[in-house]
Amino acid sequence: MAALRIFSYLPNPRVWKATIAARFCGVDVEVRGASGKELRDWLWDYDAHPLTEQERASLSSLARTGRVGLTGAQLFKTDAFMAAQPFGNVPAAFGADGKVGIFESNSIMRAVARLGEANFPLYGRDAYEASRIDSFLDVSLVFARDTQIYLLALSGGTVDAAIHARAKDAFAIYASGIEQALSPRREALVGNGISIADICLAAELALFMNEHARTEQLQKQGLDKILHPGVQDAYPLMFAHFARLVEHEHIRPDLKPYVEKLRSKAAA
């Protein structure tokens, strides 16, 4: 039985925060899920699975209206799922007994790091390092919020100048702080080795790269890409660190194919 089970739409770089951490720490993590559209036809539960027609008919009382990316969809969420996941969102993680719910990708990643702390100190080597890591994770939440609004608007065809400006400002603030933290030419954000702060950075930047797949939507609004060709010159340390992280043996299996696919769209 896995130490942690995660249910989510896939592919999802924010889920990969946990699976990457699991490789570093030797923790058994199970991931269940499908594309966002397909999740409409799943039972949202610790035992998440695609619904049969018979189940759909018998469980009609569980139908709840989706939000954030699945707005308006009828989703089948069990009472046990809602007890463990009070906000009803994915990614949704569960402890081995299926009763303890953990939500928000950074917290799920933290859980993995705590479970495997004896194998690898991903959450820092003392209280001070752990708190500095938390600082980076907290700052990433602000960037992640604006990223989500921006990418959902791009995919839904509702992006406008105001949403674009907020995302651009959020990226500049986040990238500037990361650039400063890596000066002068540090190999990790905290301490002397990779931590969950670095994993979070890699996952959030990879997710933001979905902008490359929505160039046409930006052009229709007369907007430029935030990740324009010259952006790496503005934040060379951050992008060099990102490149190193994507090639790391524990990070590469999840992020490299995803990043390369989006880079090919940028080149096109």
Side-chain angles (χ1 to χ4, degrees):
M1 181 179 294
L4 203 70
R5 178 181 291 174
I6 304 172
F7 171 55
S8 178
Y9 63 87
L10 300 172
N12 184 353
R14 288 178 176 156
V15 166
W16 297 336
K17 294 176 185 179
T19 56
I20 290 166
R23 291 191 196 96
F24 276 95
C25 296
V27 175
D28 186 10
V29 171
E30 177 189 356
V31 178
R32 293 188 181 187
S35 70
K37 290 182 179 180
E38 290 176 301
L39 286 193
R40 301 165 186 254
D41 299 316
W42 277 59
L43 181 67
W44 290 42
D45 187 58
Y46 172 68
D47 184 26
H49 60 269
L51 287 163
T52 64
E53 288 302 320
Q54 183 177 0
E55 285 178 318
R56 179 181 288 275
S58 64
L59 299 174
S60 59
S61 62
L62 298 180
R64 307 169 197 262
T65 302
R67 300 173 296 172
V68 188
L70 288 167
T71 305
Q74 291 299 300
L75 306 175
F76 292 81
K77 303 178 183 180
T78 66
D79 291 339
F81 178 86
M82 294 303 300
Q85 309 289 338
F87 296 95
N89 297 328
V90 291
F94 300 85
D97 64 359
K99 297 179 180 179
V100 177
I102 306 160
F103 39 95
E104 297 300 327
S105 62
N106 284 353
S107 292
I108 298 169
M109 176 178 58
R110 285 184 178 102
V112 175
R114 290 184 176 112
L115 288 168
E117 63 184 353
N119 296 325
F120 194 95
L122 270 183
Y123 208 164
R125 299 177 185 278
D126 56 37
Y128 296 104
E129 281 195 1
S131 296
R132 183 168 173 84
I133 288 168
D134 282 336
S135 298
F136 282 103
L137 299 185
D138 288 347
V139 168
S140 79
L141 293 176
V142 180
F143 175 55
R145 173 62 175 168
D146 286 308
T147 294
Q148 180 162 295
I149 293 171
Y150 178 53
L151 294 178
L152 285 175
L154 280 174
S155 65
T158 59
V159 70
D160 58 25
I163 292 173
H164 181 268
R166 284 197 297 272
K168 186 176 182 180
D169 287 345
F171 174 79
I173 292 168
Y174 185 63
S176 295
I178 297 298
E179 190 75 8
Q180 177 62 38
L182 291 169
S183 302
R185 300 198 174 279
R186 291 173 50 81
E187 294 295 314
L189 289 174
V190 179
N192 297 318
I194 289 177
S195 72
I196 53 176
D198 301 284
I199 295 172
C200 178
L201 166 67
E204 292 297 339
L205 282 184
L207 182 62
F208 197 71
M209 288 177 67
N210 275 278
E211 182 194 50
H212 293 318
R214 303 294 178 180
T215 303
E216 185 177 348
Q217 287 90 327
L218 289 170
Q219 290 175 341
K220 287 180 179 178
Q221 296 295 323
L223 301 170
D224 295 325
K225 288 198 298 185
I226 296 170
L227 296 178
H228 57 82
V231 72
Q232 295 193 37
D233 295 332
Y235 308 105
L237 299 180
M238 181 184 76
F239 280 102
H241 188 44
F242 177 67
R244 289 193 300 271
L245 290 170
V246 169
E247 293 294 339
H248 191 284
E249 62 176 330
H250 294 323
I251 300 175
R252 185 171 59 240
D254 287 326
L255 285 192
K256 188 170 182 177
Y258 188 83
V259 167
E260 286 186 339
K261 182 177 180 179
L262 292 172
R263 281 178 176 158
S264 68
K265 292 183 178 181

